[in-house]
C-alpha cells in the first residue's frame, strides 16, 4: 500500500509516504517538512507497516487533529481522513497499484461527487495547567465531554473527576460549559457553575484540575523575556568611589571656609 498526503490549501506539494516512519515537522530531515507557525521540530510521525497506517504524536503539546478530533498519542489512518498539523491541513489518500491494462485508481483522491471538507483551525484550545493534563492542548470542536471515562473526548484519569464531568459546546462567543452532575463541581474563574460561558483567557476548573481556554488568534504563551538588569542606585558602580571623594572634598572646603571667615 502507498499513502499520499495532499494539501488542498497549497501549504505543501503532495507527498508520497514510505513504508516505515515518516516524520512531520520543521526539521530538515523530516519527510514532510512544514515551516509554519505552531509546527514543532518533530511534530508527529506517520507510520506505515504493510497495510496498516497510523499517526503518532511525539509530544502532548503538538496539536494534531484527525477528522476534527485531537490525537493524544496514536490513531489509525484510512483513505479520506483529514489531518490538521497545528494550522496546516491535509487529506490522506491511499494509492493502490493498478491492475494490468487498467487505469491506476487513487482512493480518496479524485472527483467522486462528494463535497470536499476544507480544513480549518480549531476555534478554541483547552490547555491543561495542572494535574495530569499539565502542558497538554486539547482542540475543541462541536460538542465534547470531559471526564474520567476513557471514552470521553477529553479523558482525565483523576479519581476526583466524575466519569462524565462536563459537556463543552463551542459557540461564536466562547465555550458553553454544562456540569453533568459531577460530585466535586465545575468552576469558571473559581465560581461554581451548572451552566456557564467560558471565554478565551478564562480558567475552567474541575475539582483541582485546571485548564485555560486559548484561542489560536491569541499569542502562544511564552515565558516572559528576561528582565532588564535593574539600574544601579546612585553611589554604586564603577564611579561610586570618585563621587564619594568629591563629596568629602567639598565638605572639607566648606568647613575650612567657615573656619577662616569665622576668625575675621
Amino acid at each position: 500500500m502507498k499513502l499520499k498526503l495532499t494539501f488542498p490549501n497549497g501549504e505543501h506539494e503532495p507527498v508520497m509516504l514510505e513504508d516505515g516512519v515518516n516524520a512531520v515537522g520543521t526539521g530538515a530531515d523530516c519527510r514532510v517538512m512544514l515551516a509554519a507557525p505552531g509546527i514543532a521540530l518533530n511534530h508527529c510521525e506517520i507510520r506505515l507497516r504493510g497495510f496498516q497506517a497510523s499517526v503518532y504524536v511525539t509530544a502532548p503539546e503538538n496539536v494534531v487533529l484527525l477528522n476534527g478530533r485531537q490525537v493524544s498519542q496514536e490513531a489509525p489512518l484510512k483513505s479520506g481522513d483529514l489531518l490538521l498539523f497545528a494550522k496546516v491541513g491535509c487529506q490522506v489518500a491511499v494509492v493502490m497499484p493498478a491492475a494490468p491494462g487498467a487505469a491506476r485508481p487513487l482512493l480518496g483522491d479524485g472527483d467522486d461527487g462528494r463535497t470536499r471538507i476544507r480544513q480549518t483551525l480549531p476555534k478554541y484550545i483547552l490547555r491543561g495547567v495542572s494535574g495530569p493534563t499539565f502542558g497538554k492542548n486539547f482542540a475543541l470542536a462541536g460538542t465534547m465531554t470531559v471526564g474520567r471515562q476513557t471514552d470521553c473526548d477529553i479523558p482525565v484519569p483523576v479519581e476526583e473527576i466524575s466519569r462524565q464531568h462536563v459537556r463543552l459546546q463551542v459557540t461564536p462567543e466562547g465555550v458553553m460549559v454544562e456540569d453533568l452532575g459531577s460530585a466535586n463541581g465545575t468552576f469558571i474563574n473559581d465560581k461554581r457553575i451548572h451552566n456557564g460561558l467560558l471565554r478565551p483567557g478564562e480558567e475552567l476548573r474541575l475539582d483541582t484540575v485546571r485548564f485555560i481556554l486559548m484561542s489560536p488568534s491569541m499569542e502562544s504563551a511564552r515565558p516572559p523575556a528576561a528582565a532588564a538588569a535593574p539600574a544601579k542606585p546612585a553611589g554604586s558602580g564603577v564611579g561610586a568611589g570618585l563621587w564619594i571623594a568629591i563629596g568629602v572634598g567639598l565638605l572639607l572646603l566648606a568647613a575650612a571656609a567657615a573656619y577662616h571667615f569665622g576668625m575675621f
Side-chain angles (χ1 to χ4, degrees):
M1 178 182 72
K2 294 290 186 180
L3 198 67
K4 182 173 76 169
L5 300 183
T6 58
F7 296 80
N9 298 330
E11 293 91 345
H12 202 289
E13 293 296 320
V15 179
M16 190 72 72
L17 302 178
E18 299 176 344
D19 197 59
V21 175
N22 298 265
V24 180
T26 61
D29 57 342
C30 290
R31 177 70 178 173
V32 184
M33 189 172 68
L34 299 173
I39 303 292
L41 186 67
N42 183 14
H43 198 82
C44 65
E45 296 173 351
I46 297 178
R47 300 174 173 181
L48 301 182
R49 306 178 187 91
F51 289 94
Q52 302 295 321
S54 65
V55 57
Y56 173 77
V57 181
T58 55
E61 63 270 19
N62 298 346
V63 175
V64 177
L65 271 68
L66 174 59
N67 298 324
R69 298 189 66 176
Q70 179 96 13
V71 179
S72 58
Q73 189 171 11
E74 188 168 12
L77 293 177
K78 64 183 183 301
S79 181
D81 279 346
L82 301 173
L83 281 169
L84 189 71
F85 312 122
K87 299 181 181 181
V88 180
C90 69
Q91 187 172 33
V92 179
V94 176
V95 182
M96 302 299 293
R104 186 179 182 182
L106 298 180
L107 299 185
D109 183 38
D111 188 2
D112 56 6
R114 294 179 297 176
T115 301
R116 296 301 180 191
I117 301 174
R118 179 180 176 85
Q119 286 283 357
T120 58
L121 186 68
K123 189 173 181 64
Y124 301 110
I125 293 173
L126 205 59
R127 176 173 296 168
V129 293
S130 74
T133 63
F134 178 79
K136 295 182 180 179
N137 293 320
F138 304 94
L140 302 183
T143 301
M144 303 175 70
T145 56
V146 185
R148 195 173 73 243
Q149 288 185 171
T150 56
D151 60 348
C152 287
D153 298 297
I154 302 178
V156 183
V158 174
E159 287 300 318
E160 291 76 17
I161 302 297
S162 297
R163 289 183 176 87
Q164 289 198 347
H165 201 102
V166 294
R167 180 180 293 116
L168 306 177
Q169 172 68 51
V170 173
T171 73
E173 295 77 24
V175 176
M176 286 299 302
V177 180
E178 178 189 357
D179 186 273
L180 299 177
S182 66
N184 294 324
T186 299
F187 303 80
I188 294 179
N189 295 334
D190 282 330
K191 180 181 178 181
R192 187 163 185 169
I193 58 98
H194 177 69
N195 287 284
L197 181 65
L198 182 69
R199 294 181 174 86
E202 294 186 333
E203 179 185 275
L204 173 66
R205 178 162 64 86
L206 313 181
D207 190 51
T208 59
V209 179
R210 297 183 295 119
F211 301 88
I212 295 292
L213 184 66
M214 304 293 294
S215 169
S217 61
M218 299 168 63
E219 287 188 0
S220 300
R222 297 177 182 176
K232 294 181 179 180
S236 64
V238 177
L242 176 61
W243 287 111
I244 291 172
I246 293 173
V248 171
L250 290 173
L251 288 174
L252 290 175
L253 287 174
Y259 176 75
H260 174 76
F261 287 110
M263 293 180 63
F264 293 96

